[in-house]
């Protein structure tokens, strides 16, 4: 990305929202399970904080345990998500809308980071943000990984 575009990107308000509910069908409490001393949630928080462009991080959760971890890592998690939008069939977009409704920060861009992918690199996040800003015809971007 050109220096001019980086300056523009750095002036934008970019929020990372990490949806991390407590209920899990497959692996109980998966978002707070630890690998090498850090929970899956903490890996997502660290990735967001290391980004050159993300300037606000918020966790969306229905759990006081997850809220505690978020606050311990100095990220926003003031309002717990209601149970009605925290179940297996709840949409992530409802969680994001709930977060945006309960914060005063009004972002230009939203980055959604799921805690279950700990191998994500901060550079990948930054490259995606640069790509999105560079291409004015894009209104969203999703990353996928072959398994």
């Amino acid at each position: 990305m050109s220096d001019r575009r980086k300056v523009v990107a750095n002036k934008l308000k970019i929020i990372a929202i990490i949806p991390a509910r407590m209920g899990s069908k497959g692996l109980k409490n998966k978002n707070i399970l630890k690998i090498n001393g850090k929970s899956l949630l903490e890996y997502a928080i660290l990735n967001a904080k290391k980004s050159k462009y993300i300037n606000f991080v918020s966790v969306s959760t229905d759990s006081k345990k997850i809220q505690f971890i978020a606050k311990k890592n100095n990220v926003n998690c003031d309002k717990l998500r209601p149970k009605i939008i925290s179940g297996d069939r709840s949409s992530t977009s409802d969680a994001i809308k709930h977060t945006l409704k309960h914060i005063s920060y009004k972002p230009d861009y939203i980055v959604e980071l799921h805690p279950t992918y700990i191998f994500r690199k901060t550079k990948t996040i930054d490259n995606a943000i640069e790509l999105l800003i560079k291409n004015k015809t894009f209104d969203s971007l999703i990353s996928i990984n072959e398994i």
Side-chain angles (χ1 to χ4, degrees):
M1 180 179 264
S2 73
D3 288 336
R4 187 174 152 302
R5 287 214 187 265
K6 281 185 183 176
V7 169
V8 169
N10 286 333
K11 290 184 179 183
L12 292 170
K13 293 169 117 185
I14 301 175
I15 185 174
I17 298 178
I18 304 168
R21 65 186 184 89
M22 196 55 146
S24 172
K25 288 186 283 187
L27 192 56
K28 187 175 167 111
N29 301 325
K30 71 180 169 196
N31 289 318
I32 60 173
L33 292 178
K34 293 190 177 194
I35 297 176
N36 289 332
K38 288 188 185 101
S39 69
L40 301 186
L41 175 62
E42 289 172 298
Y43 280 105
I45 290 169
L46 286 172
N47 276 148
K49 285 179 147 189
K50 286 181 186 176
S51 169
K52 293 185 283 190
Y53 305 116
I54 294 170
N55 38 44
F56 193 90
V57 182
S58 187
V59 172
S60 173
T61 189
D62 59 334
S63 162
K64 288 191 180 270
K65 285 182 184 179
I66 290 175
Q67 184 182 45
F68 176 80
I69 293 168
K71 289 184 174 244
K72 185 178 85 176
N73 283 276
N74 298 311
V75 299
N76 179 348
C77 189
D78 292 336
K79 182 89 172 158
L80 289 178
R81 192 182 339 157
K83 296 292 179 197
I84 196 161
I85 59 169
S86 299
D88 289 343
R89 295 179 183 231
S90 301
S91 72
T92 304
S93 64
D94 284 339
I96 289 171
K97 287 178 200 171
H98 178 265
T99 298
L100 294 172
K101 181 179 173 185
H102 290 93
I103 59 174
S104 59
Y105 188 83
K106 300 301 173 212
D108 298 304
Y109 290 94
I110 301 164
V111 176
E112 180 183 324
L113 296 176
H114 291 262
T116 51
Y117 187 64
I118 65 166
F119 301 110
R120 157 193 325 112
K121 304 265 189 264
T122 304
K123 179 128 180 85
T124 303
I125 297 167
D126 287 344
N127 287 345
I129 292 169
E130 290 171 4
L131 182 63
L132 185 61
I133 292 166
K134 185 171 113 178
N135 293 283
K136 297 295 182 192
T137 58
F138 292 1
D139 66 354
S140 61
L141 183 140
I142 186 169
S143 66
I144 58 171
N145 221 3
E146 187 174 347
I147 297 175

